[in-house]
């Protein structure tokens, strides 16, 4: 009995499952799935389409703002360097024209011209002046132009140049002479004649040089541009003083306080130049050096200016003696 009920129930379940999984329902389920997939694809495509740009807002300016903008444009146009721009354009035209003319002369022709001018200058010798060299080169130029003109008139080839080269050289010598000299590397400096004119009236006194520091006492006997010789009482390399008056006072104090047997200062030598003072020894003498010296019979080392012969043997020597000195009055 129980076994028969179980069979009936099993048969009934299989029949219900068969009714639910029929071909019609499976087809409908597949179609619904495809429809859902199609809707999802369509939605994704519509979301990727770019949104139309927003409409730009139109800015309205007031009359005052428009007037200021027009005034700014006018001022900017008036400030343009029109003349400078035109000058630059003209210079560019000139440079292009010169460059074109420079290219017209062949290299072989430039070498011929250079060789002839070099031979001409060598014939003048090493002792020739710049003026003589310029005159010789100008004479060569005029003679060469004369030869080219006469050769073209007589239809001659004595210049060893073709007709085209002769015309090109003639144009270069006439209109582009300085450019040709630059191309061949010839530069002759101009001589500058310098003449000193003494416009000072005869009776006008010489201007006194200003000595920095306090005034010097009369017993110091200060002499500008002077260097006295003597035995060193105090080395100036390690004895700087603020002024010439202080240096002279140091000499006076040393002579007053010297012990028996010591040298007594009677000569002071001071370097007033901020750039230092020249001396033929090996030391570098700086500003405010104060040398204290002693000599029974003071002698000058240098006065006013160094001689030309001395400056020839001492190339670093200046023209004017930079030191100032004095011999103390007894």
């Amino acid at each position: 009995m129980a076994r028969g009920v179980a069979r009936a129930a099993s048969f009934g379940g299989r029949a219900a499952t068969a009714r639910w999984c029929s071909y019609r329902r499976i087809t409908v389920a597949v179609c619904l799935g495809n429809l859902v997939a199609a809707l999802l694809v369509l939605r994704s495509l519509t979301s990727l389409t770019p949104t139309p740009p927003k409409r730009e807002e139109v800015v309205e300016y007031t009359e005052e703002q428009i007037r200021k903008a027009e005034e700014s444009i006018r001022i900017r146009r008036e400030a343009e360097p029109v003349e400078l721009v035109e000058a630059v354009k003209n210079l560019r035209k000139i440079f292009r024209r010169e460059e074109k003319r420079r290219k017209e002369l062949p290299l072989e022709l430039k070498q011929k011209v250079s060789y002839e001018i070099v031979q001409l200058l060598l014939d003048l010798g090493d002792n020739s002046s710049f003026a003589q060299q310029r005159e010789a080169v100008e004479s060569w130029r005029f003679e060469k132009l004369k030869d080219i003109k006469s050769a073209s008139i007589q239809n001659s080839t004595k210049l060893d140049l073709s007709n085209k080269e002769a015309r090109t050289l003639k144009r270069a010598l006439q209109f582009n002479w300085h450019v040709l000299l630059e191309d061949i590397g010839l530069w002759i400096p101009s001589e500058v004649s310098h003449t000193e004119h003494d416009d000072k009236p005869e009776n006008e006194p010489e201007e006194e040089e200003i000595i920095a520091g306090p005034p010097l006492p009369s017993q110091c006997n200060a002499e500008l541009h002077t260097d006295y010789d003597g035995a060193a009482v105090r080395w100036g390399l390690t004895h700087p003083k603020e002024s010439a008056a202080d240096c002279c006072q140091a000499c006076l104090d040393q002579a007053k306080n010297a012990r028996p047997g010591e040298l007594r200062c009677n000569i002071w030598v001071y370097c007033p130049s901020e750039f230092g003072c020249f001396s033929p020894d090996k030391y570098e003498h700086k500003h405010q050096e104060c040398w204290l010296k002693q000599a029974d019979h003071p002698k000058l080392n240098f006065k006013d200016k160094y001689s030309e012969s001395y400056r020839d043997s001492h190339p670093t020597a200046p023209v004017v003696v930079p030191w100032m000195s004095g011999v103390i009055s007894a």
Side-chain angles (χ1 to χ4, degrees):
M1 181 78 178
R3 189 177 296 174
V5 173
R7 288 177 180 174
S10 174
F11 178 78
R14 285 196 296 271
T17 303
R19 286 197 302 272
W20 175 253
C21 295
S22 64
Y23 288 108
R24 183 181 298 173
R25 291 186 177 184
I26 293 173
T27 304
V28 171
V30 171
C31 290
L32 288 175
N34 291 336
L35 181 60
V36 171
L39 291 174
L40 291 175
V41 172
L42 182 62
R43 183 181 178 183
S44 64
L45 292 176
T46 55
S47 63
L48 294 176
T49 56
T51 57
K54 294 182 179 181
R55 190 175 182 182
E56 295 183 359
E57 297 182 359
V58 178
V59 181
E60 294 183 358
Y61 295 98
T62 62
E63 293 183 359
E64 181 67 18
Q65 290 175 333
I66 295 173
R67 186 185 63 79
K68 289 183 178 180
E70 291 177 349
E71 185 178 0
S72 175
I73 294 172
R74 179 183 59 81
I75 293 174
R76 189 163 57 250
R77 287 178 179 175
E78 290 178 355
E80 290 181 356
V82 180
E83 296 181 358
L84 179 61
V85 172
E86 291 297 326
V88 171
K89 289 181 180 179
N90 293 332
L91 284 175
R92 286 178 177 174
K93 291 179 181 179
I94 294 173
F95 291 153
R96 283 196 295 267
R97 188 163 55 248
E98 289 184 355
E99 189 67 23
K100 183 179 178 181
R101 290 174 179 174
R102 182 172 294 178
K103 291 180 180 178
E104 289 180 355
L105 202 62
L107 178 61
E108 295 80 6
L109 197 53
K110 292 179 183 179
Q111 291 175 346
K112 288 181 181 180
V113 172
S114 176
Y115 177 76
E116 292 185 14
I117 293 178
V118 168
Q119 286 298 123
L120 176 67
L121 295 177
L122 290 176
D123 293 340
L124 289 177
D126 297 334
N127 297 326
S128 59
S129 62
F130 294 142
Q132 291 175 338
Q133 293 176 4
R134 281 196 303 274
E135 184 179 356
V137 173
E138 286 295 327
S139 299
W140 174 89
R141 174 193 174 196
F142 290 123
E143 290 294 329
K144 184 64 68 173
L145 281 171
K146 188 186 297 183
D147 293 341
I148 293 174
K149 291 179 181 178
S150 62
S152 62
I153 293 173
Q154 300 174 4
N155 201 10
S156 173
T157 59
K158 66 178 182 178
L159 294 175
D160 195 20
L161 297 173
S162 64
N163 292 332
K164 182 179 179 180
E165 289 179 341
R167 288 194 302 269
T168 305
L169 181 58
K170 178 182 176 182
R171 190 161 50 246
L173 294 176
Q174 280 184 326
F175 305 109
N176 299 316
W177 174 236
H178 296 289
V179 176
L180 177 59
L181 292 181
E182 290 180 4
D183 287 345
I184 65 176
L186 177 63
W187 177 72
I188 302 176
S190 58
E191 289 182 334
V192 179
S193 58
H194 176 69
T195 305
E196 293 185 1
H197 298 279
D198 189 5
D199 299 331
K200 186 183 294 184
E202 295 181 359
N203 298 327
E204 184 176 349
E206 294 287 337
E207 295 182 359
E208 295 184 0
E209 293 189 34
I210 299 175
I211 302 174
L216 284 87
S218 58
Q219 59 183 334
C220 292
N221 299 315
E223 299 180 47
L224 292 173
H225 309 299
T226 306
D227 180 14
Y228 275 100
D229 193 13
V233 178
R234 186 69 186 270
W235 274 58
L237 296 173
T238 57
H239 188 236
K241 291 297 178 182
E242 291 291 331
S243 64
D246 294 336
C247 184
C248 175
Q249 188 62 46
C251 182
L252 293 173
D253 294 342
Q254 192 277 337
K256 181 179 179 181
N257 299 322
R259 290 177 292 183
E262 288 184 343
L263 295 175
R264 295 178 182 271
C265 176
N266 65 339
I267 299 172
W268 59 274
V269 181
Y270 184 72
C271 177
S273 174
E274 296 181 356
F275 305 101
C277 294
F278 168 79
S279 183
D281 55 31
K282 64 179 181 179
Y283 301 105
E284 180 183 358
H285 298 277
K286 299 180 180 180
H287 179 215
Q288 297 181 342
E289 278 190 15
C290 176
W291 289 76
L292 305 184
K293 300 180 180 181
Q294 193 277 334
D296 295 334
H297 304 284
K299 295 181 180 180
L300 284 171
N301 281 331
F302 304 100
K303 180 71 174 176
D304 294 333
K305 295 182 179 181
Y306 296 105
S307 65
E308 187 174 352
S309 59
Y310 182 83
R311 283 187 282 117
D312 290 340
S313 58
H314 298 80
T316 58
V319 177
V320 180
V321 177
W323 300 91
M324 62 179 300
S325 307
V327 178
I328 303 297
S329 300

